[in-house]
Structures are given as C-alpha cells and as structure tokens.
Amino acid sequence: MEARDHEIEKELAATLQARRELGPEYESALVDSFLEKVEQRLDTTLDRRVRRHLAEQQVTAARDPRSIRTPSAGALSGFGERFGFGVVSLVLAVPLSAIGVANAGIEGLVVAWMGIVGVNVAHAARGGGLFRQRGRERRAAPASEWRD
C-alpha cells in the first residue's frame, strides 16, 4: 500500500507543479483530474477488498457448508445502510479535503475531517451504525405469553 501512497503523492506533486506553471485559471480542471485518479484508486481498492471477502466466504463454504449463515433481513438492511454511508463518506471526503486545503490550508483539512468524523459518529450513535445492530443480535426473542 505504501507504493500506491507514493504514487498518489507523486500525482499530487505533479498537479501542484502544473497549477504553478499554468496558473489559477486551470486549477479546477487540475483538481478534478487529481480527484478522479483518487476516486479510481478508491474504487479499485474497494473492488479488491470485496473480491477478497467473497473469495474467503467461498473457501469457508467449501470447507464446511454448515458454516454458512443466512442473515436476517434486518441485518442485511443494517449492513447496507452502514456500508452505503461509509462509501458516501469516503467519496465526499476527497472533494471536501481538497476544498478545505485549497481555501484554508492544513486547518481547512482538519476542519473538513472533523466534520466527516462527527457526521459518522452521529450516524452510529443515533442507531444507524454498529451499536443498533449488535444490540439487536444479542437480544433473544421474547417468550410468548400465549403458550403454556
């Protein structure tokens, strides 16, 4: 992963150098180009992780078919909500970081990320995150009062 970080650092340096040479009128095109490369990297990384996870599940299922669990509909919707919120947060973090740095330097970057973290913490605390799912899975179904 460090090699890829080095590639992004080189791309950022090249983008900043091009901005110095071309001037501020090309700034938006240069930022868009850089952000597109970062988004492609995120997509590639996410695809690789999903493929790895699916391969691990297939290996586990091949070794022991009884180990396959089918999650309930509530667990699936909770996972989808968390996953979707996380992906949206990461995608929006890229332009927000660029805007923060462009307008206020490192302080703008810190403020942007504090906002991103704050929104994610609020989402988790309100019950859209892990807390609600874990609590729901631990509770046993209540016994019916109608049975003897």
Side-chain angles (χ1 to χ4, degrees):
M1 191 78 121
E2 290 179 18
R4 297 188 115 186
D5 290 342
H6 185 66
E7 291 173 19
I8 292 294
E9 288 176 11
K10 285 175 32 180
E11 285 290 335
L12 179 58
T15 301
L16 292 174
Q17 182 63 31
R19 195 259 183 216
R20 282 186 216 109
E21 292 173 5
L22 297 174
E25 54 274 353
Y26 290 99
E27 183 172 332
S28 108
L30 291 169
V31 168
D32 289 343
S33 172
F34 177 73
L35 291 178
E36 186 175 317
K37 291 174 186 173
V38 171
E39 284 180 289
Q40 287 173 353
R41 179 173 172 210
L42 285 172
D43 289 342
T44 302
T45 303
L46 182 61
D47 288 343
R48 186 175 46 247
R49 286 180 183 174
V50 168
R51 281 194 300 266
R52 185 181 322 136
H53 182 70
L54 289 175
E56 288 172 358
Q57 284 182 337
Q58 289 174 347
V59 167
T60 302
R63 287 182 182 160
D64 185 12
R66 292 173 291 166
S67 68
I68 300 173
R69 293 182 301 168
T70 54
S72 66
L76 280 177
S77 67
F79 171 77
E81 181 182 352
R82 290 190 318 266
F83 182 77
F85 197 84
V87 168
V88 169
S89 292
L90 286 175
V91 169
L92 291 177
V94 173
L96 288 174
S97 297
I99 292 168
V101 168
N103 290 324
I106 193 72
E107 295 86 5
L109 179 67
V110 170
V111 169
W113 275 95
M114 285 175 43
I116 293 164
V117 170
V119 166
N120 281 284
V121 168
H123 178 70
R126 78 157 177 86
L130 295 173
F131 305 124
R132 179 179 69 186
Q133 290 302 319
R134 287 182 182 155
R136 185 183 305 152
E137 291 172 1
R138 286 186 190 143
R139 277 185 246 137
S144 174
E145 295 179 8
W146 297 97
R147 293 184 190 173
D148 289 332

